[in-house]
């Protein structure tokens, strides 16, 4: 721990109000924040290989430690020397702790103070996931950023339930800290508290007293009203230390990101761009396009005229429409590339706007296009895990 | 026609016995033969974009004119200025005539001397496909190599039926020739004759009298015994002019290719490498691997150790096994890349072996590995069209 305190994993490079540009140092490279992290359940970002991820400019990607522990199993990943080698990715990897499965697999788990007993939806096997086991799993995966095991309540949980889960999350965070991580791994805590202001504040404050490398805002973007997401994030962020990176878990729509960046959030992950892509939705600076719409059948223009991604350089909306019409998977492959490329450019624009003081203008532009309250622009059924056995959904 | 006779589309560069290395001049580049052409039904080679196709070294790819005429429709392709622009492909394109649908959609068609009335399996629409309409369609697609409309019989068709279809194929070829193609397009005839030696010979001889740019061997690799495929191809090839390119339609296993090259066949197309890939089969110099097999679960080696494709450079068999186990489409994407890369290297080896006189050795090596009579090594259900509405099959 001493070493880590000597050299912080995070530097703030520039600020505009509470919004900040930072540099996050990991064992696999330094990354500028605010950063968007594509989600790689099952050790792959759906329909995208790691060569392309690098080409797109992705820096850190997400891995799901519970899913990987079930399949292929830790022995296989250990043989490769870690998740990076297993999936052929030289950039950063953040692994979740399995805590989200406490929420998403609620019918298949039994939770207690010791840990969570999870029944695998894949093979019915049972795993008692404790904070210590989660640390062990993430140590074997050897990710760059490790998340503590947390108890993630749902937005409909009562005050008492949310208090219990926040308290349990704190105790588990202590146990994770005590167990420790590999030398070069960073350890992030997760603030919970359900939809209750005072619990949110308390959870964040208590965790802030502990020597974590970064802090996450968990348990939001799970179906509660959008305004509530913003408000509760604000409460949480205000109670977190300003010198550490702040990570909003499971949110990635442009309208959400731009407003959370303004509050001082630095890291985001979501299946938003990749899942939309598989459903035929393309992200542009003029809004979201449904490429399956008949109006694109004869549209010779690319998705976005000024976009320098190879999809926009080579293919018309008409061609992409055709691929989706014929249910050719290539349509999803190409839109996934474009959407991830869009997200990387989007984060780049955000960082530039913080540095040159034009953040407010950018925010207004983004909200004009993506903030009109269409639900699909704000969330992508964040409550549903992207791990649906790889079906083309 | 005079212009075409002045400058032939085909030069023979080198020979070893009947096997030859040639150069095929098209409106989109010159290509060395023997050449393998990946199949791009629905204006895409499944799971592979055209950037990757180029990277792999694909030269000419196949387009299906009947399918494209139904979806997206010729008006859409005309708007783009042709199939190349529509699908973003700068290499060569050979389009089939719709003749194979005469065979593959036999329940949905009604054939007469005028043409074929085809009921679309997509939308139930009816099209009377005549030789002239096929030329019109391919003229709109503006492919580099145009195939005549033919009547493709099945291997179980009687002598009389096969004679009728061969005669009709000849008459239709004359009508295609008379109708003509675009200035820069090449026009290939298709020899038929079912499984009957004398009909095969007659069909090839009669077509050879006509000024086509190239000649195809059609109606084989449709379920007849492998030895019969070889024998009937030999009969056909012997009756075709030696100075024109010869194209074996719908066959692409290594064991088939190497034996047909020896007879003097120059061009091949098949869904073999791409369909195998989607089913988890990888092509290697030591034979076909089923990556789904449990024995690869902990195999840290790439598919092929000396392979320079990015899949072998970055991913272990264990990782690919995991992707297929989790039904992640990325598995099929990566194997498709590797298998097409293998086919390009394979054709390159064949050309080199003809030039340096080591063809016999290469043939023995290939047959040792791929010629042991396992059906899946020889054919890939060639009788079934790859156009199954894009399902991941």
């Amino acid at each position: 721990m001493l070493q880590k305190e000597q050299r912080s994993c995070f530097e703030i490079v520039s600020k505009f109000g509470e919004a900040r540009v930072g540099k996050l140092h990991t064992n696999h490279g330094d990354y500028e924040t605010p950063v968007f992290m594509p989600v790689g359940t099952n050790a792959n970002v759906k329909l995208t290989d790691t060569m392309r991820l690098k080409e797109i400019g992705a820096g850190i990607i997400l891995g799901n430690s519970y899913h990987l522990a079930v399949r292929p199993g830790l022995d296989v990943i250990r043989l490769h020397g870690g998740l990076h080698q297993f999936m052929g990715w030289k950039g950063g990897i953040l692994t979740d702790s399995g805590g989200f499965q406490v929420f998403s697999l609620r019918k298949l788990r039994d939770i207690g103070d010791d840990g969570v007993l999870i029944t695998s939806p894949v093979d019915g096997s049972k795993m008692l996931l404790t904070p210590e086991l989660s640390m062990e799993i993430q140590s074997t995966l050897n990710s760059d950023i490790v998340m503590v095991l947390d108890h993630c309540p749902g937005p409909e949980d009562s005050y008492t339930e949310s208090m219990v889960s926040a308290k349990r999350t704190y105790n588990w965070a202590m146990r994770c800290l005590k167990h420790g991580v590999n030398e070069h791994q960073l350890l992030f805590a997760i603030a919970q508290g359900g939809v209750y202001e005072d619990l949110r504040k308390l959870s964040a404050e208590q965790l802030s007293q502990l020597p974590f490398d970064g802090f996450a805002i968990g348990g939001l973007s799970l179906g509660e009203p959008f305004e509530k997401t913003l408000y509760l994030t604000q409460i949480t962020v205000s109670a977190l230390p300003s010198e550490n990176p702040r990570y909003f878990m499971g949110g990635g729509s442009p309208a959400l990101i731009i407003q959370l960046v303004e509050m001082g959030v630095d890291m985001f992950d979501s299946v938003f761009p990749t899942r939309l892509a598989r459903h035929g939705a393309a992200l542009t600076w003029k809004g979201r396009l449904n490429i399956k719409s008949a109006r694109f059948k004869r549209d010779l223009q690319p998705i976005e005229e000024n976009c320098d991604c190879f999809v926009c350089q080579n293919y018309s909306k008409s061609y992409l429409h055709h691929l989706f019409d014929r249910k050719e998977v290539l349509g999803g492959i190409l839109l996934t590339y474009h959407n991830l490329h869009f997200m990387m450019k989007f984060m780049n624009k955000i960082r530039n706007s913080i540095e040159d003081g034009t953040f407010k203008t950018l925010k207004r532009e983004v909200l004009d296009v993506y903030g009109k309250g269409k639900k699909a622009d704000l969330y992508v059924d964040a409550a549903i895990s992207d791990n649906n056995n790889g079906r083309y959904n």
Side-chain angles (χ1 to χ4, degrees), chain A residues 64-282:
Chain A
N64 293 103
S65 58
Y66 169 71
H67 292 299
L68 293 170
V70 176
R71 288 275 192 287
L74 294 180
D75 59 326
V76 171
I77 295 188
R78 194 179 290 116
L79 268 179
H80 284 77
L83 181 55
H84 288 87
Q85 295 84 342
F86 179 62
M87 66 186 290
W89 175 241
K90 293 182 171 67
I93 297 179
L94 179 151
T95 41
D96 72 6
S97 58
F100 189 68
Q101 278 70 50
V102 174
F103 172 80
S104 66
L105 302 176
R106 37 180 53 196
K107 284 180 190 158
L108 293 166
R109 53 83 174 166
D110 186 13
I111 195 160
D113 284 337
D114 193 33
V116 207
L117 185 70
I118 309 180
T119 306
S120 164
V122 174
D123 59 8
S125 65
K126 288 185 191 299
M127 177 193 290
L128 177 64
L129 187 62
T130 61
E132 292 76 15
L133 179 57
S134 180
M135 292 302 98
E136 283 297 320
I137 292 172
Q138 294 179 78
S139 162
T140 301
L141 298 175
N142 205 14
S143 52
D144 302 293
I145 304 172
V146 170
M147 302 304 299
V148 297
L149 185 66
D150 59 330
H151 180 175
C152 175
E156 72 292 356
D157 280 10
S158 71
Y159 187 85
T160 311
E161 288 170 320
S162 300
M163 186 165 56
V164 168
S165 60
K167 196 176 164 191
R168 189 173 280 150
T169 294
Y170 178 76
N171 288 332
W172 288 359
M174 296 269 267
R175 283 163 62 183
C176 289
L177 208 51
K178 195 171 166 197
H179 186 279
V181 292
N182 297 341
E183 193 181 349
H184 299 292
Q185 289 184 310
L186 304 174
L187 182 60
F188 280 31
I190 304 173
Q192 292 289 355
V195 292
Y196 305 97
E197 270 183 66
D198 59 331
L199 296 179
R200 282 273 155 199
K201 191 156 175 285
L202 191 68
S203 177
E205 280 174 352
Q206 288 186 330
L207 290 165
S208 299
Q209 305 307 314
L210 302 172
F212 288 102
D213 296 299
F215 296 88
I217 302 113
L220 290 175
S221 183
L222 296 180
E224 76 282 0
F226 188 63
E227 290 306 322
K228 208 159 193 174
T229 313
L230 298 181
Y231 179 66
L232 292 167
T233 304
Q234 179 68 75
I235 299 284
T236 306
V237 168
S238 308
L240 292 174
S242 64
E243 62 273 24
N244 297 86
R246 299 162 180 151
Y247 160 32
F248 183 91
M249 300 184 86
S253 70
L256 183 67
I257 289 178
I258 196 104
Q259 290 180 89
L260 300 191
V261 163
E262 191 175 29
M263 298 174 190
V265 178
D266 309 294
M267 302 166 68
F268 301 89
D269 79 281
S270 176
V271 298
F272 182 82
T274 47
R275 181 176 293 166
L276 280 185
R278 298 198 301 284
H279 285 279

Side-chain angles (χ1 to χ4, degrees), chain A residues 6-78:
Chain A
Q6 278 163 12
R7 194 220 180 201
S8 168
C9 70
F10 190 62
E11 293 165 61
I12 293 168
V13 176
S14 178
K15 282 193 83 171
F16 181 88
E18 290 303 314
R20 66 251 196 114
V21 170
K23 199 166 261 182
L24 180 64
H25 305 289
T26 80
N27 196 33
H28 284 82
D30 299 336
Y31 301 100
E32 287 199 308
T33 63
V35 65
F36 176 80
M37 306 180 286
V39 176
T41 307
N42 290 328
N44 78 126
V45 175
K46 284 183 194 294
L47 303 189
T48 311
D49 59 73
T50 48
M51 304 295 283
R52 286 258 158 105
L53 278 178
K54 193 182 166 190
E55 193 179 292
I56 289 165
I60 309 172
I61 64 175
L62 218 78
N64 293 103
S65 58
Y66 169 71
H67 292 299
L68 293 170
V70 176
R71 288 275 192 287
L74 294 180
D75 59 326
V76 171
I77 295 188
R78 194 179 290 116

